[in-house]
């Protein structure tokens, strides 16, 4: 079986759909907190298994010997390592064939606050003895394109990235890399740094947004603390605002940039240029 945890999330949905293009539905299982979100997959023959990372007992029987498992990192920052540890322990007990994990770019050396739980999870997976693959995903281009409306409304994008460059890619591209690894061979105990083929700075992103939308938008760079405060001012909770501002600081240091083109090699096609992603988002409204 191919088992995907966190399958109902934005990345997970792309992974499951990608798997269903390559393997029969009865070879795919999804581990989700809310099975109602997976009813459409169940109707297509996918096995749906209810799991709550905070209750390790719910992981009993979710994995079987020889399974290929994708652990999609949980979304509760600060709680992720114990949640991931529960999955790792269950996978070890079951004797799964391969455990792939969606980590973060340069997890072992990144200075981003987000990287800590990813690094700890990678170390726990290595210690478990399970054959593994670390899919170290870079930034999602959707981190920008899903927030075009306020940028166009107010004519401003704020950040703390200075002129740093980010090699972002789409969720679907990262998902396709996961599918390639899960269904392929020779990936055991590999670490893949995954990012878009080309990088851009936030000033370049804003200039392209202005060009395509026909509306003037400027980039305003702020000190990290001020950027966090600005995010909190529009309703972002302080812990998450601090995390986002810290990520921008990391971007300014080059920690979200990678030129290896490993992602495009895994998926067998170039990644989507950021200008194309902006154009698609503008068309969707």
């Amino acid at each position: 079986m191919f088992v995907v945890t966190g399958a109902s999330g934005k990345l997970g949905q792309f992974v499951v759909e990608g798997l269903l293009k390559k393997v029969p539905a009865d070879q795919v299982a999804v581990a989700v907190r809310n099975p109602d979100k997976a009813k459409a997959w169940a109707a297509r023959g996918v096995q749906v298994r209810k799991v709550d990372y905070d209750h390790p007992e719910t992981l009993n029987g979710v994995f079987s010997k020889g399974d290929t498992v994708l652990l999609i990192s949980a979304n509760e920052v600060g709680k992720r390592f114990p949640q991931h540890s529960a999955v790792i322990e269950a996978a070890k007990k079951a004797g799964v064939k391969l455990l792939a994990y969606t980590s973060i770019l340069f997890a072992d050396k990144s200075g981003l606050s987000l990287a800590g739980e990813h690094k700890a999870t990678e170390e726990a997976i290595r210690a478990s003895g399970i054959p593994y693959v670390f899919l170290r995903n870079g930034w999602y281009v959707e981190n920008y394109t899903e927030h075009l409306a306020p940028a166009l409304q107010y004519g401003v994008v704020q950040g703390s990235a200075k002129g740093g460059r980010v090699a972002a890619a789409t969720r679907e591209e990262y998902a396709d890399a996961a599918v390639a690894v899960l269904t392929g061979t020779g990936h055991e105990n590999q670490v893949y740094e995954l990012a878009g083929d080309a990088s851009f700075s936030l000033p370049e992103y804003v200039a392209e947004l202005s060009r395509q939308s026909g509306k003037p938008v400027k980039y305003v760079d702020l000190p990290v603390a001020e950027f966090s405060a600005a995010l909190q001012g529009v309703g972002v909770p302080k812990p998450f605002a601090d995390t986002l501002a810290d990520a921008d600081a990391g971007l300014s240091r080059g920690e979200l940039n990678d030129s290896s083109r490993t992602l495009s090699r895994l998926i067998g096609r170039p990644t989507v240029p950021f200008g194309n992603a902006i154009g698609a988002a503008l068309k969707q409204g």
Side-chain angles (χ1 to χ4, degrees), residues 46-169:
V46 173
Q47 293 186 26
V48 179
R49 302 169 182 177
K50 183 176 181 178
V51 164
D52 186 338
Y53 292 154
D54 293 325
H55 297 277
E57 67 276 8
T58 65
L59 288 158
N60 294 334
V62 169
F63 308 122
S64 299
K65 185 176 179 62
D67 282 350
T68 298
V69 178
L70 175 64
L71 169 55
I72 294 179
S73 55
N75 59 11
E76 295 178 271
V77 176
K79 296 178 62 177
R80 293 194 287 188
F81 180 61
Q83 291 174 339
H84 296 165
S85 295
V87 176
I88 296 165
E89 184 61 27
K92 180 180 178 179
K93 287 181 179 179
V96 305
K97 180 173 71 174
L98 182 73
L99 178 59
Y101 171 64
T102 61
S103 188
I104 194 171
L105 198 64
F106 310 129
D108 55 339
K109 58 185 179 182
S110 174
L112 271 64
S113 61
L114 276 173
E117 289 178 299
H118 289 295
K119 181 179 180 181
T121 299
E122 288 188 5
E123 290 172 349
I125 292 173
R126 289 183 195 269
S128 74
I130 304 170
Y132 63 83
V133 181
F134 297 150
L135 300 163
R136 290 180 172 170
N137 292 348
W139 229 222
Y140 298 136
V141 72
E142 290 89 348
N143 291 346
Y144 304 110
T145 58
E146 288 179 351
H147 303 283
L148 296 187
L152 294 174
Q153 180 180 354
Y154 297 106
V156 173
V157 171
Q158 295 178 321
S160 296
K162 297 184 173 64
R165 306 190 70 79
V166 54

Side-chain angles (χ1 to χ4, degrees), residues 206-283:
V206 167
E208 181 65 15
L209 176 58
S210 295
R211 187 187 71 79
Q212 291 198 36
S213 67
K215 297 181 179 180
V217 183
K218 63 180 180 179
Y219 174 66
V220 177
D221 200 78
L222 300 172
V224 172
E226 289 185 24
F227 181 36
S228 176
L231 291 169
Q232 294 170 55
V234 294
V236 179
K238 185 179 187 305
F240 189 44
D242 287 344
T243 297
L244 292 175
D246 175 79
D248 250 26
L251 195 163
S252 75
R253 300 189 297 266
E255 297 191 35
L256 291 170
N257 193 14
D258 174 70
S259 59
S260 68
R261 300 200 172 200
T262 303
L263 175 57
S264 58
R265 284 199 294 273
L266 280 176
I267 65 178
R269 65 180 189 275
T271 61
V272 174
F274 82 98
N276 293 38
I278 290 173
L282 288 171
K283 286 181 180 178

Side-chain angles (χ1 to χ4, degrees), residues 4-20:
V4 181
T5 76
S8 59
K10 292 179 179 180
L11 178 66
Q13 292 179 47
F14 281 122
V15 172
V16 175
E17 290 301 325
L19 281 173
L20 291 173

